Amino acid sequence: MSRPPKGSRLALGLMSGTSVDGIDVALVRIAASISQNAAHARLENFVTVPFPAAVRSEVLRIAEGTRVSPGEISQLNFRLGRAFGEAALHACRKFRVDPRRLSVIGSHGQTIFHQGRPSRFLGEKISSTLQIGEPAVIAAITGVTTVGDFRPADMAVGGQGAPLVSFVDYLLYRDPRRGRAVLNIGGIANVTIIPKAASPHSVIAFDTGPGNMVIDALVHHFTNGRRSFDAEAQMASRGHLLPELVNSLLAENYFRQAPPKSAGREQYGKAYVEKILAWGRRHRARPEDLVRTATVVTALSIADALHRWVLPPQRKTPLSQLIVSGGGARNPLILAQLSAALGGIEVVTTQALGLPGDAKEAFIFALLADETLHGRPSNLRSATGARRPALLGKICYPPPR
C-alpha cells in the first residue's frame, strides 16, 4: 500500500437516503483543497451499517407524514444521532482507524421533510427542509468534530437545498473534451449535467423523480416485508409492462416542472405507491407487472428529463456519457432501459470508473464537511438556484478531552 501523501487528513462521511436501507459510512483521505482538484481525495474504505429495525420503522412512519408530536420528532432526532455515531465507531473498528485520527465527520442526516419550492405559510412564501440525526450527539459519541444539516444554508440564500452532490460531481467528472451527466439513483434519482470544459456556472442539476423508492415499496408490500428491494430486477423480469399505467404515471406534473427542482417522499412516498396499488387492484394486475412498470417508469422519467431539459437542440448540451451510481446502478433493467432510451450516450457506472456506487454519497458528504471546516462555500448555485454561495452545514465540536 502506498504511503499517505504528506499533510493529508482523514474524514468520515455518513449517509442515509430516502430508502432508509442503512447508514453508509465512507472513509476518505484528503490531500489538498478539493476546491482546487477533487483528485486529491480518495476513498479508503466503505461499509453499510444496518439500521436498528425499530428506528427504521419510526423514520419511515414520520417521513410518510404521519401525525406526530414535537416530542416524537425530538426524541427521534437524538436517537438517530446515537445510531449515526455508533455506525461511525463501528466503521472505525472495521477499518482499524482510531477515531482520533479523523479531522471531521460529515453527516447528511435523515430527511423527514423537504419542500424546495416556496409555498404560502402564515402570510409568507416559505420553503423548508428537515434532516434529523443530531450532529452534536455524533460529535459527543465519537469525539470528532461533526458537520451536519447541510441543506438549510443553501435554502437560506434562495436555493432548493438540493442537489448538493453536484459540487463534487463537477470536480470529479468534468472533462475538457466531452459532456457528461452524473446520475445517482437512490430513493430519488438526481442528475448533474457537466458540459464539455464546464465552468461551475454552466453545471445544472436536479432531481428527475423517483429512483428506487417506489420499486422498493412495492416489493416490500408484495413480499410482506420479507424483501426490501428487487435484487437484480428478478421480480420485474418476470412481469409485463402495463402501458396504460406507464402513461398515467409519466403524466405527473413534477416531470414537466423546469429545473432547479427537488423531490422526496412528499411526491413519491406512501400516497403515490397506494395509487399504483389501487390501479393494480382495479385492473387485476400481477405484482410482478406493477414492479416491472415502476422500474421502467424510473428509467423513462430519467430519460425524459434529459431529453426535455438537457438534450434538445436549443439547449446545445451534447452528452457522450451517463455515469450512474446508487442502488439503481445494480438494476440491470433500469440500465438497459436507459441505454435504449438515450441512444448514442454511453451508460457506465461509477464502479467502472473507480468509485463504488454505494459509497459515492457518503464520500461526497465527507468532502463537503471538509470544505465547511475550512471555511469554503460548496453549493453550486447553478444547480440549486441559490442567489449566493453558502457555507453548508453546522459545525458541532466534541466535548473537551
Side-chain angles (χ1 to χ4, degrees):
M1 182 181 294
S2 60
R3 296 181 64 184
K6 187 176 180 180
S8 66
R9 54 198 180 273
L10 287 173
L12 208 67
L14 306 176
M15 178 69 196
S16 172
T18 46
S19 294
V20 200
D21 49 8
I23 303 168
D24 297 332
V25 188
L27 180 67
V28 181
R29 184 171 294 282
I30 303 169
S33 165
I34 61 166
S35 296
Q36 299 168 15
N37 187 347
H40 288 302
R42 75 177 185 221
L43 181 69
E44 295 273 296
N45 221 322
F46 172 75
V47 68
T48 297
V49 181
F51 269 112
V55 174
R56 181 178 191 270
S57 177
E58 185 67 0
V59 169
L60 290 172
R61 185 178 78 88
I62 290 178
E64 291 289 2
T66 303
R67 187 177 293 277
V68 295
S69 69
E72 288 174 296
I73 294 176
S74 179
Q75 291 286 85
L76 185 58
N77 179 40
F78 274 68
R79 179 63 183 88
L80 275 173
R82 180 171 295 278
F84 291 143
E86 290 170 350
L89 292 180
H90 170 84
C92 286
R93 289 192 295 270
K94 185 178 178 65
F95 303 156
R96 297 184 179 179
V97 170
D98 188 329
R100 288 175 294 184
R101 292 177 56 198
L102 299 175
S103 62
V104 69
I105 293 174
S107 175
H108 171 272
Q110 183 65 55
T111 300
I112 61 168
F113 182 79
H114 183 81
Q115 181 177 305
R117 289 178 179 265
S119 65
R120 189 157 292 280
F121 180 74
L122 300 180
E124 297 285 344
K125 282 199 166 184
I126 298 293
S127 57
S128 67
T129 190
L130 184 59
Q131 283 74 45
I132 59 175
E134 181 53 54
V137 175
I138 301 172
I141 288 174
T142 61
V144 180
T145 299
T146 299
V147 182
D149 208 13
F150 288 85
R151 300 190 186 280
D154 179 78
M155 298 181 77
V157 292
Q160 294 211 16
L164 298 183
V165 298
S166 307
F167 173 77
V168 180
D169 283 343
Y170 164 71
L171 296 174
L172 286 172
Y173 298 117
R174 60 182 168 178
D175 189 288
R177 294 180 297 278
R178 56 181 172 173
R180 286 169 150 177
V182 185
L183 172 69
N184 183 72
I185 310 175
I188 294 295
N190 60 71
V191 68
T192 303
I193 310 302
I194 310 170
K196 178 177 69 174
S199 70
H201 305 295
S202 61
V203 175
I204 64 170
F206 56 96
D207 291 346
T208 62
N212 306 312
M213 180 186 295
V214 177
I215 305 165
D216 293 351
L218 290 172
V219 170
H220 186 272
H221 172 82
F222 289 127
T223 63
N224 294 313
R226 293 188 304 274
R227 292 163 59 188
S228 58
F229 65 99
D230 190 18
E232 297 294 321
Q234 292 175 6
M235 195 169 180
S237 297
R238 298 194 300 270
H240 297 287
L241 191 65
L242 303 168
E244 184 182 343
L245 180 57
V246 169
N247 292 336
S248 172
L249 294 176
L250 290 179
E252 290 284 331
N253 182 58
Y254 180 82
F255 301 128
R256 296 191 295 274
Q257 291 178 10
K261 58 181 180 175
S262 53
R265 287 193 176 276
E266 295 74 27
Q267 291 90 353
Y268 301 109
K270 186 176 181 180
Y272 188 86
V273 172
E274 183 51 45
K275 182 171 69 172
I276 295 173
L277 292 172
W279 191 99
R281 288 191 293 270
R282 288 196 307 273
H283 294 83
R284 297 183 180 180
R286 298 185 309 150
E288 295 87 348
D289 298 343
L290 293 177
V291 172
R292 183 179 187 90
T293 298
T295 304
V296 171
V297 164
T298 285
L300 291 183
S301 64
I302 293 166
D304 175 70
L306 292 173
H307 284 297
R308 190 185 296 262
W309 307 116
V310 180
L311 296 172
Q314 63 269 25
R315 291 300 301 259
K316 293 186 171 66
T317 310
L319 298 177
S320 61
Q321 196 173 55
L322 178 69
I323 303 170
V324 188
S325 65
R330 298 193 304 274
N331 188 308
L333 179 56
I334 290 178
L335 295 184
Q337 288 287 326
L338 286 172
S339 294
L342 295 175
I345 297 175
E346 178 190 18
V347 177
V348 62
T349 65
T350 57
Q351 178 85 40
L353 299 180
L355 178 60
D358 288 346
K360 182 190 165 195
E361 288 193 291
F363 173 86
I364 284 173
F365 279 95
L367 302 187
L368 293 179
D370 183 80
E371 288 293 276
T372 296
L373 202 60
H374 288 85
R376 295 187 287 260
S378 53
N379 62 328
L380 266 188
R381 294 158 57 197
S382 58
T384 68
R387 294 185 298 272
R388 301 197 298 274
L391 283 165
L392 302 181
K394 299 172 177 118
I395 302 174
C396 294
Y397 295 100
R401 290 194 179 111

